[in-house]
Amino acid sequence: MIPYGRQDISQQDIDAVVEVLQSDFLTQGPKVPAFENSVMEACNAKYAVAVNSATSALHIACLALGLGKGDWLWTTPNTFVASANCGVYCGAQVDFVDIDPRTYNMSAKALEQKLVIAEKEGTLPKVVIPVHFSGQPCDMVAIRALSHKYGFKVIEDASHAIGGKYKEEPIGNCRYSDITVFSFHPVKIVTTSEGGVAVTNDTKLAEQLNILRSHGITRDEGLMTKPADGPWYYQQIELGYNYRMTDMQAALGVSQMQRLNDYVAKRHELAEHYNELLKDLPITLPWQHEDSYSGLHLYVIRLQLDKISKTHLEVFKDMREAGILVNLHYIPVHLQPYYQEMGFEKGQFPEAEQYYKEAISLPMFPTLSYEQQQEVVESLKKLLLEKQHNIK
């Protein structure tokens, strides 16, 4: 069986976690700031706040930007539900912007068109969350320009994208956003088992993120309402959450981050090999913008269904039956029952819906061998070409 994604755990990683288990700190110890520093250095950002998941990072990023009841959050329908749910958590209303048919990211053109209408209707978003799907960055220059014109804040959902670059600079430097969020789930580029990080260059936002991840509590006298009663003293100054990352997770992250560039380079090597092996099949290969250096969390193909006799579902099921555990990223969020109860309907975001009808994520992880890639391609080729012959 070949999974679509898999973590790579080395002896170095195991030793790092065991060291924490044998130390005095299992949580709230020195490894969390060490991990935050490693992310800051990789992204060239001023601040990093580690939490227990990227979902938590998105939530407190929205709160730090003041998102609340009566506000609007816009994101892409081609993402995991967390990119939209974070707005609902804050009491905001959520809407979506259709995708670019080549990158599968939020379309800057569609965003601008929607903003023009929203300005007339008085429904401009307070926060927009572009998602760097599969690791390829969105058109952040255009999105940032629109944010200045229409007055919204930008959170980059870079859950797929650590180690990638945009215009030759690291994703996460927040040049074009207020906050960037990364995921460290096991199938992501590097892992802390579960975990997320929010990075920013804004001091006040960093303070807010730190407070919100830990119950709304501070020990900083500069933020308290009165002098401390003693060295034990802390104050809860707002409603926060228990979103902290453990030292065990952080230790794993510190170790994994040392291999970040190697992991991304290997993914590019695998993608190039796929491109060569798959170029003559009736599929659409992933397209990469010249401004981007993708983290390549995913390698997504689109079936050219008019050129094959099998359905999307048949190809998916037959690949899995052959031991190739392909996946599909993503079901458009607006088609989920929870969001349809809000009034979203099929047909509202046609590019995302058409993508969903054709997309399949092939196995992509750094320990994937060329032999395994060959097995993936041969299984796909057999399914597509033998049936194609029967059409003639």
Side-chain angles (χ1 to χ4, degrees), residues 147-159:
S147 79
H148 291 315
K149 182 175 180 179
Y150 291 97
F152 58 83
K153 300 295 186 181
V154 178
I155 300 172
E156 293 177 73
D157 185 340
S159 294

Side-chain angles (χ1 to χ4, degrees), residues 60-118:
I60 63 173
C62 289
L63 290 172
L65 292 171
L67 188 73
K69 188 175 181 180
D71 295 327
W72 282 92
L73 177 145
W74 292 3
T75 189
T76 171
N78 185 35
T79 185
F80 186 58
V81 293
S83 307
N85 289 351
C86 59
V88 180
Y89 296 157
C90 299
Q93 294 176 272
V94 172
D95 202 353
F96 302 95
V97 178
D98 211 352
I99 64 171
D100 181 280
R102 293 190 298 177
T103 64
Y104 318 141
N105 284 330
M106 177 186 286
S107 165
K109 183 178 179 180
L111 174 61
E112 184 172 19
Q113 292 170 345
K114 197 176 183 87
L115 287 165
V116 170
I117 297 170

Side-chain angles (χ1 to χ4, degrees), residues 128 130 140 143-144 147 152-156 176-179:
V128 171
M140 294 309 301
I143 292 171
R144 193 54 163 172
S147 79
F152 58 83
K153 300 295 186 181
V154 178
I155 300 172
E156 293 177 73
Y176 307 100
S177 63
D178 299 279
I179 300 172

Side-chain angles (χ1 to χ4, degrees), residues 245-266:
M245 176 180 281
T246 69
D247 254 34
M248 293 175 287
Q249 293 171 297
L252 176 57
V254 170
S255 180
Q256 289 257 312
M257 284 294 290
Q258 295 175 41
R259 306 196 295 279
L260 173 62
N261 292 334
D262 292 338
Y263 280 153
V264 177
K266 180 62 177 178

Side-chain angles (χ1 to χ4, degrees), residues 76-313:
T76 171
N78 185 35
T79 185
F80 186 58
V81 293
S83 307
N85 289 351
C86 59
V88 180
Y89 296 157
C90 299
Q93 294 176 272
V94 172
D95 202 353
F96 302 95
V97 178
D98 211 352
I99 64 171
D100 181 280
R102 293 190 298 177
T103 64
Y104 318 141
N105 284 330
M106 177 186 286
S107 165
K109 183 178 179 180
L111 174 61
E112 184 172 19
Q113 292 170 345
K114 197 176 183 87
L115 287 165
V116 170
I117 297 170
E119 185 175 41
K120 294 176 182 176
E121 296 178 346
T123 56
L124 284 170
K126 185 166 190 174
V127 173
V128 171
I129 303 184
V131 178
H132 301 326
F133 177 75
S134 79
Q136 177 164 211
C138 297
D139 184 356
M140 294 309 301
V141 168
I143 292 171
R144 193 54 163 172
L146 290 170
S147 79
H148 291 315
K149 182 175 180 179
Y150 291 97
F152 58 83
K153 300 295 186 181
V154 178
I155 300 172
E156 293 177 73
D157 185 340
S159 294
H160 296 181
I162 194 164
K165 296 180 181 179
Y166 176 62
K167 291 187 176 293
E168 300 184 353
E169 294 184 328
I171 294 170
N173 67 358
C174 293
R175 181 182 293 277
Y176 307 100
S177 63
D178 299 279
I179 300 172
T180 301
V181 168
F182 295 111
S183 172
F184 298 91
H185 182 276
V187 296
K188 296 302 195 299
I189 295 163
V190 298
T191 186
T192 56
S193 73
E194 279 280 7
V197 169
V199 296
T200 185
N201 294 327
D202 186 295
T203 304
K204 291 191 178 298
L205 287 178
E207 288 177 353
Q208 277 292 100
L209 292 166
N210 270 294
I211 290 168
L212 288 165
R213 73 166 165 185
S214 189
H215 304 282
I217 284 171
T218 184
R219 294 180 182 274
D220 182 348
E221 284 199 60
L223 299 175
M224 292 181 184
T225 58
K226 71 181 186 73
D229 293 346
W232 64 85
Y233 194 70
Y234 60 84
Q235 284 188 347
Q236 182 186 347
I237 58 176
E238 57 186 282
L239 181 64
Y241 301 84
N242 185 3
Y243 283 170
R244 295 186 302 264
M245 176 180 281
T246 69
D247 254 34
M248 293 175 287
Q249 293 171 297
L252 176 57
V254 170
S255 180
Q256 289 257 312
M257 284 294 290
Q258 295 175 41
R259 306 196 295 279
L260 173 62
N261 292 334
D262 292 338
Y263 280 153
V264 177
K266 180 62 177 178
R267 287 172 180 270
H268 276 263
E269 182 182 312
L270 292 167
E272 289 172 9
H273 196 223
Y274 266 142
N275 290 344
E276 183 62 28
L277 294 172
L278 296 168
K279 64 183 180 181
D280 296 324
L281 295 182
I283 60 176
T284 300
L285 300 179
W287 182 82
Q288 299 294 314
H289 194 284
E290 61 183 5
D291 286 342
S292 77
Y293 177 74
S294 177
L296 278 170
H297 164 53
L298 301 172
Y299 185 93
V300 180
I301 61 169
R302 292 178 71 166
L303 303 178
Q304 296 175 2
L305 293 170
D306 59 334
K307 298 180 181 178
I308 62 176
S309 64
K310 287 207 170 197
T311 66
H312 183 223
L313 177 59

